mmCIF file of all heavy atoms in Angstrom:
data_model
loop_
_atom_site.group_PDB
_atom_site.id
_atom_site.type_symbol
_atom_site.label_atom_id
_atom_site.label_comp_id
_atom_site.label_asym_id
_atom_site.label_seq_id
_atom_site.Cartn_x
_atom_site.Cartn_y
_atom_site.Cartn_z
ATOM 1 N N LEU A 225 12.009 54.594 54.614
ATOM 2 C CA LEU A 225 10.865 53.881 54.035
ATOM 3 C C LEU A 225 10.563 54.394 52.631
ATOM 4 O O LEU A 225 10.363 53.613 51.698
ATOM 5 C CB LEU A 225 9.645 54.040 54.944
ATOM 6 C CG LEU A 225 8.336 53.436 54.426
ATOM 7 C CD1 LEU A 225 8.484 51.946 54.149
ATOM 8 C CD2 LEU A 225 7.206 53.699 55.429
ATOM 9 N N ALA A 226 10.520 55.721 52.460
ATOM 10 C CA ALA A 226 10.235 56.302 51.144
ATOM 11 C C ALA A 226 11.314 55.925 50.131
ATOM 12 O O ALA A 226 11.017 55.592 48.977
ATOM 13 C CB ALA A 226 10.125 57.816 51.247
ATOM 14 N N LEU A 227 12.582 55.947 50.551
ATOM 15 C CA LEU A 227 13.672 55.618 49.647
ATOM 16 C C LEU A 227 13.650 54.141 49.271
ATOM 17 O O LEU A 227 13.945 53.777 48.128
ATOM 18 C CB LEU A 227 15.013 55.994 50.286
ATOM 19 C CG LEU A 227 15.245 57.498 50.495
ATOM 20 C CD1 LEU A 227 16.462 57.740 51.368
ATOM 21 C CD2 LEU A 227 15.383 58.223 49.168
ATOM 22 N N ALA A 228 13.295 53.279 50.218
ATOM 23 C CA ALA A 228 13.199 51.847 49.914
ATOM 24 C C ALA A 228 12.055 51.578 48.941
ATOM 25 O O ALA A 228 12.182 50.729 48.043
ATOM 26 C CB ALA A 228 13.005 51.048 51.198
ATOM 27 N N MET A 229 10.940 52.284 49.105
ATOM 28 C CA MET A 229 9.844 52.152 48.137
ATOM 29 C C MET A 229 10.298 52.593 46.749
ATOM 30 O O MET A 229 10.011 51.923 45.745
ATOM 31 C CB MET A 229 8.648 52.970 48.603
ATOM 32 C CG MET A 229 7.950 52.410 49.833
ATOM 33 S SD MET A 229 6.665 53.534 50.469
ATOM 34 C CE MET A 229 5.487 53.526 49.096
ATOM 35 N N ALA A 230 11.020 53.698 46.695
ATOM 36 C CA ALA A 230 11.535 54.166 45.408
ATOM 37 C C ALA A 230 12.518 53.154 44.818
ATOM 38 O O ALA A 230 12.547 52.933 43.605
ATOM 39 C CB ALA A 230 12.199 55.534 45.586
ATOM 40 N N HIS A 231 13.327 52.525 45.681
ATOM 41 C CA HIS A 231 14.266 51.498 45.222
ATOM 42 C C HIS A 231 13.521 50.364 44.523
ATOM 43 O O HIS A 231 13.917 49.932 43.427
ATOM 44 C CB HIS A 231 15.046 50.954 46.419
ATOM 45 C CG HIS A 231 15.904 49.765 46.115
ATOM 46 N ND1 HIS A 231 17.249 49.870 45.826
ATOM 47 C CD2 HIS A 231 15.615 48.441 46.040
ATOM 48 C CE1 HIS A 231 17.736 48.668 45.589
ATOM 49 N NE2 HIS A 231 16.769 47.776 45.729
ATOM 50 N N VAL A 232 12.473 49.877 45.141
ATOM 51 C CA VAL A 232 11.681 48.796 44.542
ATOM 52 C C VAL A 232 11.094 49.244 43.210
ATOM 53 O O VAL A 232 11.160 48.518 42.203
ATOM 54 C CB VAL A 232 10.560 48.356 45.507
ATOM 55 C CG1 VAL A 232 9.616 47.366 44.823
ATOM 56 C CG2 VAL A 232 11.155 47.755 46.776
ATOM 57 N N ILE A 233 10.547 50.422 43.180
ATOM 58 C CA ILE A 233 9.884 50.924 41.969
ATOM 59 C C ILE A 233 10.869 51.096 40.831
ATOM 60 O O ILE A 233 10.568 50.753 39.675
ATOM 61 C CB ILE A 233 9.162 52.250 42.305
ATOM 62 C CG1 ILE A 233 7.959 51.961 43.219
ATOM 63 C CG2 ILE A 233 8.716 52.983 41.045
ATOM 64 C CD1 ILE A 233 7.434 53.177 43.934
ATOM 65 N N VAL A 234 12.059 51.580 41.124
ATOM 66 C CA VAL A 234 13.065 51.793 40.080
ATOM 67 C C VAL A 234 13.665 50.467 39.618
ATOM 68 O O VAL A 234 13.769 50.193 38.414
ATOM 69 C CB VAL A 234 14.157 52.761 40.581
ATOM 70 C CG1 VAL A 234 15.333 52.782 39.613
ATOM 71 C CG2 VAL A 234 13.590 54.161 40.754
ATOM 72 N N THR A 235 14.093 49.636 40.563
ATOM 73 C CA THR A 235 14.761 48.379 40.178
ATOM 74 C C THR A 235 13.816 47.416 39.481
ATOM 75 O O THR A 235 14.259 46.581 38.679
ATOM 76 C CB THR A 235 15.378 47.691 41.405
ATOM 77 O OG1 THR A 235 14.364 47.458 42.393
ATOM 78 C CG2 THR A 235 16.492 48.558 42.006
ATOM 79 N N GLU A 236 12.520 47.500 39.763
ATOM 80 C CA GLU A 236 11.549 46.645 39.096
ATOM 81 C C GLU A 236 10.914 47.322 37.881
ATOM 82 O O GLU A 236 9.945 46.820 37.314
ATOM 83 C CB GLU A 236 10.470 46.220 40.086
ATOM 84 C CG GLU A 236 11.008 45.356 41.227
ATOM 85 C CD GLU A 236 9.919 44.855 42.164
ATOM 86 O OE1 GLU A 236 8.729 45.201 41.955
ATOM 87 O OE2 GLU A 236 10.258 44.124 43.109
ATOM 88 N N ASN A 237 11.504 48.452 37.500
ATOM 89 C CA ASN A 237 11.074 49.168 36.299
ATOM 90 C C ASN A 237 9.592 49.540 36.354
ATOM 91 O O ASN A 237 8.863 49.460 35.353
ATOM 92 C CB ASN A 237 11.367 48.337 35.043
ATOM 93 C CG ASN A 237 11.406 49.192 33.781
ATOM 94 O OD1 ASN A 237 11.741 50.387 33.831
ATOM 95 N ND2 ASN A 237 11.053 48.605 32.659
ATOM 96 N N ARG A 238 9.142 49.987 37.510
ATOM 97 C CA ARG A 238 7.735 50.380 37.691
ATOM 98 C C ARG A 238 7.573 51.895 37.687
ATOM 99 O O ARG A 238 6.468 52.392 37.921
ATOM 100 C CB ARG A 238 7.204 49.809 39.009
ATOM 101 C CG ARG A 238 7.185 48.283 39.057
ATOM 102 C CD ARG A 238 6.788 47.778 40.440
ATOM 103 N NE ARG A 238 6.863 46.338 40.544
ATOM 104 C CZ ARG A 238 5.872 45.492 40.257
ATOM 105 N NH1 ARG A 238 4.690 45.973 39.859
ATOM 106 N NH2 ARG A 238 6.024 44.191 40.364
ATOM 107 N N TYR A 239 8.634 52.635 37.442
ATOM 108 C CA TYR A 239 8.541 54.086 37.463
ATOM 109 C C TYR A 239 7.953 54.606 36.149
ATOM 110 O O TYR A 239 7.889 53.886 35.143
ATOM 111 C CB TYR A 239 9.899 54.720 37.760
ATOM 112 C CG TYR A 239 10.953 54.524 36.684
ATOM 113 C CD1 TYR A 239 11.191 55.507 35.734
ATOM 114 C CD2 TYR A 239 11.748 53.377 36.659
ATOM 115 C CE1 TYR A 239 12.161 55.353 34.765
ATOM 116 C CE2 TYR A 239 12.727 53.208 35.694
ATOM 117 C CZ TYR A 239 12.931 54.194 34.746
ATOM 118 O OH TYR A 239 13.891 54.031 33.773
ATOM 119 N N ASP A 240 7.565 55.863 36.159
ATOM 120 C CA ASP A 240 6.960 56.478 34.964
ATOM 121 C C ASP A 240 8.083 57.081 34.126
ATOM 122 O O ASP A 240 8.516 58.208 34.345
ATOM 123 C CB ASP A 240 5.964 57.561 35.398
ATOM 124 C CG ASP A 240 5.157 58.130 34.241
ATOM 125 O OD1 ASP A 240 5.692 58.204 33.127
ATOM 126 O OD2 ASP A 240 3.993 58.528 34.464
ATOM 127 N N ARG A 241 8.540 56.311 33.149
ATOM 128 C CA ARG A 241 9.711 56.706 32.361
ATOM 129 C C ARG A 241 9.464 58.020 31.627
ATOM 130 O O ARG A 241 10.330 58.893 31.590
ATOM 131 C CB ARG A 241 10.040 55.600 31.369
ATOM 132 C CG ARG A 241 11.360 55.820 30.609
ATOM 133 C CD ARG A 241 11.639 54.646 29.706
ATOM 134 N NE ARG A 241 11.742 53.401 30.443
ATOM 135 C CZ ARG A 241 12.866 52.954 30.994
ATOM 136 N NH1 ARG A 241 13.982 53.667 30.874
ATOM 137 N NH2 ARG A 241 12.890 51.809 31.657
ATOM 138 N N SER A 242 8.286 58.193 31.065
ATOM 139 C CA SER A 242 7.997 59.405 30.300
ATOM 140 C C SER A 242 7.977 60.635 31.197
ATOM 141 O O SER A 242 8.560 61.675 30.875
ATOM 142 C CB SER A 242 6.655 59.254 29.577
ATOM 143 O OG SER A 242 6.306 60.449 28.922
ATOM 144 N N PHE A 243 7.315 60.531 32.352
ATOM 145 C CA PHE A 243 7.241 61.656 33.288
ATOM 146 C C PHE A 243 8.638 62.025 33.780
ATOM 147 O O PHE A 243 8.997 63.201 33.837
ATOM 148 C CB PHE A 243 6.317 61.324 34.454
ATOM 149 C CG PHE A 243 6.107 62.456 35.419
ATOM 150 C CD1 PHE A 243 5.080 63.369 35.231
ATOM 151 C CD2 PHE A 243 6.943 62.635 36.516
ATOM 152 C CE1 PHE A 243 4.891 64.430 36.110
ATOM 153 C CE2 PHE A 243 6.765 63.686 37.399
ATOM 154 C CZ PHE A 243 5.739 64.583 37.185
ATOM 155 N N VAL A 244 9.406 61.007 34.132
ATOM 156 C CA VAL A 244 10.759 61.250 34.630
ATOM 157 C C VAL A 244 11.613 61.954 33.585
ATOM 158 O O VAL A 244 12.344 62.909 33.881
ATOM 159 C CB VAL A 244 11.405 59.927 35.073
ATOM 160 C CG1 VAL A 244 12.907 60.101 35.280
ATOM 161 C CG2 VAL A 244 10.764 59.434 36.365
ATOM 162 N N GLN A 245 11.515 61.505 32.353
ATOM 163 C CA GLN A 245 12.328 62.088 31.290
ATOM 164 C C GLN A 245 11.977 63.543 31.044
ATOM 165 O O GLN A 245 12.866 64.379 30.838
ATOM 166 C CB GLN A 245 12.146 61.288 29.997
ATOM 167 C CG GLN A 245 12.979 61.797 28.829
ATOM 168 C CD GLN A 245 12.851 60.907 27.597
ATOM 169 O OE1 GLN A 245 12.574 59.726 27.711
ATOM 170 N NE2 GLN A 245 13.049 61.491 26.422
ATOM 171 N N ASP A 246 10.690 63.857 31.098
ATOM 172 C CA ASP A 246 10.237 65.201 30.742
ATOM 173 C C ASP A 246 10.208 66.172 31.923
ATOM 174 O O ASP A 246 10.334 67.388 31.711
ATOM 175 C CB ASP A 246 8.845 65.141 30.117
ATOM 176 C CG ASP A 246 8.817 64.411 28.789
ATOM 177 O OD1 ASP A 246 9.888 64.301 28.161
ATOM 178 O OD2 ASP A 246 7.733 63.937 28.394
ATOM 179 N N HIS A 247 10.036 65.660 33.133
ATOM 180 C CA HIS A 247 9.693 66.563 34.229
ATOM 181 C C HIS A 247 10.521 66.374 35.505
ATOM 182 O O HIS A 247 10.208 67.007 36.524
ATOM 183 C CB HIS A 247 8.210 66.416 34.576
ATOM 184 C CG HIS A 247 7.287 66.614 33.431
ATOM 185 N ND1 HIS A 247 7.190 67.812 32.751
ATOM 186 C CD2 HIS A 247 6.436 65.747 32.812
ATOM 187 C CE1 HIS A 247 6.305 67.691 31.777
ATOM 188 N NE2 HIS A 247 5.836 66.460 31.784
ATOM 189 N N VAL A 248 11.543 65.522 35.475
ATOM 190 C CA VAL A 248 12.330 65.270 36.690
ATOM 191 C C VAL A 248 13.809 65.504 36.388
ATOM 192 O O VAL A 248 14.337 65.002 35.392
ATOM 193 C CB VAL A 248 12.117 63.834 37.209
ATOM 194 C CG1 VAL A 248 13.039 63.552 38.392
ATOM 195 C CG2 VAL A 248 10.658 63.632 37.627
ATOM 196 N N LEU A 249 14.462 66.250 37.268
ATOM 197 C CA LEU A 249 15.888 66.526 37.146
ATOM 198 C C LEU A 249 16.642 65.742 38.218
ATOM 199 O O LEU A 249 16.291 65.825 39.401
ATOM 200 C CB LEU A 249 16.136 68.022 37.318
ATOM 201 C CG LEU A 249 17.575 68.519 37.133
ATOM 202 C CD1 LEU A 249 17.995 68.400 35.675
ATOM 203 C CD2 LEU A 249 17.688 69.973 37.599
ATOM 204 N N GLY A 250 17.645 64.974 37.806
ATOM 205 C CA GLY A 250 18.489 64.265 38.762
ATOM 206 C C GLY A 250 18.130 62.817 38.993
ATOM 207 O O GLY A 250 18.596 62.201 39.952
ATOM 208 N N PHE A 251 17.312 62.233 38.106
ATOM 209 C CA PHE A 251 16.846 60.863 38.307
ATOM 210 C C PHE A 251 18.014 59.868 38.358
ATOM 211 O O PHE A 251 18.065 58.999 39.239
ATOM 212 C CB PHE A 251 15.865 60.486 37.198
ATOM 213 C CG PHE A 251 15.390 59.067 37.263
ATOM 214 C CD1 PHE A 251 14.495 58.658 38.251
ATOM 215 C CD2 PHE A 251 15.826 58.120 36.340
ATOM 216 C CE1 PHE A 251 14.059 57.345 38.316
ATOM 217 C CE2 PHE A 251 15.388 56.814 36.401
ATOM 218 C CZ PHE A 251 14.492 56.421 37.391
ATOM 219 N N ASP A 252 18.950 59.952 37.438
ATOM 220 C CA ASP A 252 20.047 58.979 37.388
ATOM 221 C C ASP A 252 20.896 59.042 38.666
ATOM 222 O O ASP A 252 21.291 57.992 39.208
ATOM 223 C CB ASP A 252 20.924 59.230 36.161
ATOM 224 C CG ASP A 252 20.200 58.897 34.861
ATOM 225 O OD1 ASP A 252 19.234 58.119 34.908
ATOM 226 O OD2 ASP A 252 20.612 59.429 33.803
ATOM 227 N N ARG A 253 21.186 60.223 39.143
ATOM 228 C CA ARG A 253 21.958 60.354 40.372
ATOM 229 C C ARG A 253 21.185 59.800 41.563
ATOM 230 O O ARG A 253 21.752 59.176 42.463
ATOM 231 C CB ARG A 253 22.330 61.815 40.610
ATOM 232 C CG ARG A 253 23.263 62.392 39.542
ATOM 233 C CD ARG A 253 23.590 63.844 39.857
ATOM 234 N NE ARG A 253 24.457 64.429 38.834
ATOM 235 C CZ ARG A 253 24.960 65.653 38.882
ATOM 236 N NH1 ARG A 253 24.686 66.423 39.922
ATOM 237 N NH2 ARG A 253 25.727 66.105 37.917
ATOM 238 N N PHE A 254 19.889 60.042 41.560
ATOM 239 C CA PHE A 254 19.028 59.534 42.624
ATOM 240 C C PHE A 254 19.043 58.004 42.625
ATOM 241 O O PHE A 254 19.121 57.380 43.697
ATOM 242 C CB PHE A 254 17.613 60.066 42.423
ATOM 243 C CG PHE A 254 16.625 59.658 43.478
ATOM 244 C CD1 PHE A 254 16.853 59.925 44.819
ATOM 245 C CD2 PHE A 254 15.447 59.009 43.131
ATOM 246 C CE1 PHE A 254 15.936 59.555 45.789
ATOM 247 C CE2 PHE A 254 14.515 58.644 44.084
ATOM 248 C CZ PHE A 254 14.768 58.912 45.422
ATOM 249 N N CYS A 255 18.994 57.398 41.454
ATOM 250 C CA CYS A 255 18.987 55.935 41.365
ATOM 251 C C CYS A 255 20.246 55.330 41.976
ATOM 252 O O CYS A 255 20.198 54.286 42.635
ATOM 253 C CB CYS A 255 18.849 55.492 39.904
ATOM 254 S SG CYS A 255 17.211 55.819 39.202
ATOM 255 N N LYS A 256 21.385 55.968 41.760
ATOM 256 C CA LYS A 256 22.638 55.474 42.331
ATOM 257 C C LYS A 256 22.573 55.500 43.858
ATOM 258 O O LYS A 256 23.055 54.583 44.529
ATOM 259 C CB LYS A 256 23.812 56.300 41.827
ATOM 260 C CG LYS A 256 24.103 56.102 40.337
ATOM 261 C CD LYS A 256 25.275 56.982 39.887
ATOM 262 C CE LYS A 256 25.537 56.813 38.391
ATOM 263 N NZ LYS A 256 26.645 57.702 37.927
ATOM 264 N N TYR A 257 21.981 56.558 44.400
ATOM 265 C CA TYR A 257 21.866 56.639 45.863
ATOM 266 C C TYR A 257 20.913 55.566 46.391
ATOM 267 O O TYR A 257 21.104 55.023 47.482
ATOM 268 C CB TYR A 257 21.395 58.023 46.270
ATOM 269 C CG TYR A 257 21.253 58.209 47.762
ATOM 270 C CD1 TYR A 257 22.377 58.195 48.592
ATOM 271 C CD2 TYR A 257 20.007 58.366 48.356
ATOM 272 C CE1 TYR A 257 22.263 58.335 49.972
ATOM 273 C CE2 TYR A 257 19.883 58.520 49.729
ATOM 274 C CZ TYR A 257 21.010 58.501 50.531
ATOM 275 O OH TYR A 257 20.889 58.639 51.891
ATOM 276 N N LEU A 258 19.884 55.226 45.607
ATOM 277 C CA LEU A 258 18.896 54.252 46.047
ATOM 278 C C LEU A 258 19.472 52.849 46.207
ATOM 279 O O LEU A 258 18.867 51.997 46.875
ATOM 280 C CB LEU A 258 17.727 54.190 45.047
ATOM 281 C CG LEU A 258 16.800 55.405 44.993
ATOM 282 C CD1 LEU A 258 15.722 55.192 43.935
ATOM 283 C CD2 LEU A 258 16.160 55.672 46.347
ATOM 284 N N ASP A 259 20.624 52.583 45.616
ATOM 285 C CA ASP A 259 21.207 51.241 45.686
ATOM 286 C C ASP A 259 21.387 50.771 47.123
ATOM 287 O O ASP A 259 21.320 49.564 47.400
ATOM 288 C CB ASP A 259 22.567 51.218 44.972
ATOM 289 C CG ASP A 259 22.427 51.293 43.466
ATOM 290 O OD1 ASP A 259 21.310 51.040 42.962
ATOM 291 O OD2 ASP A 259 23.438 51.606 42.785
ATOM 292 N N ARG A 260 21.593 51.693 48.048
ATOM 293 C CA ARG A 260 21.866 51.294 49.432
ATOM 294 C C ARG A 260 20.573 51.108 50.244
ATOM 295 O O ARG A 260 20.636 50.801 51.431
ATOM 296 C CB ARG A 260 22.765 52.339 50.091
ATOM 297 C CG ARG A 260 22.125 53.705 50.296
ATOM 298 C CD ARG A 260 23.128 54.761 50.731
ATOM 299 N NE ARG A 260 23.999 55.168 49.638
ATOM 300 C CZ ARG A 260 24.966 56.059 49.742
ATOM 301 N NH1 ARG A 260 25.196 56.629 50.910
ATOM 302 N NH2 ARG A 260 25.693 56.385 48.700
#
Side-chain angles (χ1 to χ4, degrees):
L225 176 58
L227 293 169
M229 290 173 65
H231 172 96
V232 172
I233 290 163
V234 169
T235 57
E236 296 184 359
N237 200 29
R238 297 174 184 271
Y239 67 96
D240 188 328
R241 188 177 301 273
S242 175
F243 184 89
V244 166
Q245 181 175 333
D246 295 339
H247 305 297
V248 175
L249 184 69
F251 176 72
D252 291 338
R253 295 180 181 184
F254 182 56
C255 290
K256 291 179 182 178
Y257 180 67
L258 290 179
D259 287 343
R260 67 190 73 180

